[in-house]
Every structure is written in C-alpha cells, then in structure tokens.
Amino acid sequence: MNEQETRNNPGVPAGGHGLSGRIALVTGASQGIGRACAIELAKSGATVALAARSVAKLEAVAGEITAAGGHARIYALDVSSEESIKACAKAVLADLGKVEILVNNAGITKDGLTLRMKLADFDEVLRTNLTGAFLLTQAVISSMMKGRWGRVVNITSVVGETGAAGQANYAASKAGLIGLTKSLAREFASRGITVNAVAPGFIQTAMTEELPEAHKTAILAQIPLARYGSDADIAAAVAFLASDAAGYITGHTLDVNGGMYMG
Ligand code: NAP
C-alpha cells in the first residue's frame, strides 16, 4: 500500500460546499479532472483519498492540498484490476473509517475505427472506465449505507450521449456509466445515497491535448459558449453534486459542455 498522510491544518477555511468532516475518494486524482475534483472537495472541507497508479503524481497533488490547508491521503490504485480495487477500498476504510463521497473519474481512451479495433483495446477501455467504477462502488457502498448518507459521482462524457466515430469502446463505456448511474440511483435511494453522473464536453487536459489541431478547431466550432472547458468547470459540478444542496438530485447526468450537446 502506498500512502502518505498529509499535514493537518485546523485553520483551513471551509469551502463553498460545506463538506467539512466528510470523507471522499477520488479515482484518477493524479492529474486533470480528478486532480481538480480532489482539490475542490478538499477546499470544501472534505478529507480526500487520492487514488491512481502514479504515486509520485498523487504525492504532488496531496502536497498542493496540504499546502492550502486541506487534508489528503494517497492510495495506489489500478481500476482495471479487481484485486487492486479491493485492496484500495480496504486500505481507505481502515485508514479513514468510511467513504461518504466516491468520484469515479479514472478513465482512458484507446481510439480506433471499429473495423480495425482490437478486442483487447475494446476490453481494456470497458474494464477501466465502466467495470472499475462498478467494482469500486460495490466495494465502498456499504460504508455509505451504514451512515445513511452517500454521494457517488461518475464522470461520463458527452460522447456517451452522442457517440463518436473512432471511439466505439470509449462511447460504450461512457454510455454504460450513465445506465449504471441510474440503476445505482434506484437501488440506493432509500439509504440516503444519491448517484449522479457528470458529462464533460471538451475539457483541456492531457487526454485531449494529443488530438490533432484540426480536430480541436472543428470541436470548438460546435461549442456555443465558444471555449474549451477547464478541469475546474467539472470540479465545480462534482462538488455541487457531492453537497447537501444537491440532496434531491439522483440518477441525473449533468452536462458540463458549453452547450455542445443539449440532451
Ligand atoms: P487524464 O488527464 O488522462 O487523466 C486520467 C486519470 O485517470 C489519471 O489521473 C490517471 O492516473 C487515471 N487512470 C487512468 N487509468 C487508470 C487506472 N487503470 N487505474 C487508476 N487510475 C487510472 O484525463 P482527464 O481528461 O482528466 O479525464 C478524467 C475523466 O474525465 C476520464 O474518465 C475521462 O474519460 C473523462 N472525460 C474527459 C474529457 C476531456 O475532454 N478531457 C471529456 C469527457 C470525459 P494514472 O495514470 O496515474 O493511473
């Protein structure tokens, strides 16, 4: 288990979403959207378990949270491995006592046209983006049930709603997350647990950085707000859905896409 307790600073001002005392677990917290979500939840007062494969990057994020007076611990996690998911959930529960907010954010792309897509690339994207979210939720949901309060936020994608040529695997995984979200919302509502999804549009992160310039320009032309999104745009939506203010919202997919798709 790779983990590191960060410095405690009781002088931290509570953030805008009133999550003081809450315990959150964010996957893919080593960079991009996951990192931004972790920082936002910590700003709102939550203690955040940061999970991903790159422990060195997690340490840097934990350092940022600590420097701002927040609380974080890091956990090595590979969401494509059931064994790793179980070990991570066990370690977080042992260290922090419970998980009240779970952000299933870790995700990958392995793009390719369907006629050429290898089964291994289809399977890997489904296993990472969809099965991982299912298994980790399964591993921590009893903890939320015990407290009769919980928040699961799944990071899907606009592509899960519209489809995308060259992304059959990724779009299927993200559409699957929306179905998973609605099913879990129905199963756990009576326990005080809400389950929602956030569907980012085009967000400037390492994932989109590698796309060809012409492709990016074509996407920008389809965004009514005429800008790419930032990781902070997504983090704000996640922190809201994690808050008490969002307590009557469940099974919902919140589009954060500058208007590029209006469901
Ligand atoms: P990113 O910069 O590539 O970050 C992906 C994160 O997922 C990293 O922290 C990575 O950490 C983690 N990850 C990948 N595979 C993992 C595994 N097997 N186990 C554990 N962690 C894993 O991408 P991003 O743009 O921030 O994307 C975050 C989420 O938003 C993804 O689910 C993505 O599909 C979704 N999204 C992004 C956009 C966009 O425009 N950027 C749009 C819609 C949806 P390690 O490498 O350290 O494990």
Side-chain angles (χ1 to χ4, degrees):
M1 180 179 60
N2 289 291
E3 62 180 272
Q4 169 205 321
E5 187 159 19
T6 58
R7 184 164 52 86
N8 226 352
N9 182 347
V12 192
H17 291 287
L19 298 177
S20 194
R22 296 286 185 204
I23 308 291
L25 168 57
V26 180
T27 69
S30 55
Q31 64 182 53
I33 291 170
R35 169 186 163 275
C37 290
I39 289 172
E40 191 61 31
L41 293 171
K43 262 194 217 163
S44 293
T47 293
V48 187
L50 311 169
R53 293 166 303 182
S54 319
V55 170
K57 288 187 189 172
L58 290 177
E59 276 168 358
V61 178
E64 277 185 76
I65 290 175
T66 297
H71 309 294
R73 290 175 79 114
I74 67 167
Y75 297 87
L77 169 67
D78 178 354
V79 294
S80 70
S81 153
E82 183 178 13
E83 198 183 27
S84 174
I85 287 172
K86 284 185 174 161
C88 174
K90 197 173 165 191
V92 174
L93 291 170
D95 292 342
L96 302 176
K98 57 187 172 179
V99 171
E100 297 170 300
I101 299 163
L102 170 64
V103 182
N104 284 309
N105 162 79
I108 56 166
T109 52
K110 292 264 170 188
D111 295 353
L113 292 171
T114 294
L115 285 176
R116 281 187 228 132
M117 188 176 285
K118 303 255 185 302
L119 174 61
D121 287 343
F122 188 87
D123 281 347
E124 189 182 344
V125 169
L126 267 287
R127 195 168 64 245
T128 302
N129 297 3
L130 180 57
T131 311
F134 167 71
L135 290 173
L136 187 57
T137 307
Q138 199 178 43
V140 302
I141 201 99
S142 309
S143 167
M144 296 184 195
M145 286 165 72
K146 272 187 211 141
R148 300 196 72 79
W149 191 96
R151 298 281 188 265
V152 180
V153 183
N154 295 319
I155 306 300
T156 175
S157 167
V158 63
V159 162
E161 300 171 299
T162 63
Q167 292 196 303
N169 50 1
Y170 183 75
S173 73
K174 294 300 187 179
L177 270 179
I178 294 173
L180 177 71
T181 297
K182 291 178 180 175
S183 301
L184 297 177
R186 288 183 187 279
E187 276 190 44
F188 296 104
S190 65
R191 312 303 182 106
I193 299 167
T194 68
V195 186
N196 291 291
V198 170
F202 186 102
I203 310 302
Q204 280 183 304
T205 67
M207 185 176 272
T208 45
E209 184 60 37
E210 62 196 32
L211 294 172
E213 263 331 295
H215 187 58
K216 290 189 208 172
T217 309
I219 291 174
L220 189 56
Q222 296 166 37
I223 303 175
L225 284 176
R227 69 167 175 88
Y228 301 125
S230 70
D231 52 17
D233 289 321
I234 306 307
V238 169
F240 166 65
L241 288 172
S243 72
D244 280 324
Y248 201 55
I249 302 173
T250 198
H252 185 68
T253 298
L254 180 53
D255 291 325
V256 185
N257 62 26
M260 77 186 277
Y261 171 75
M262 302 181 191

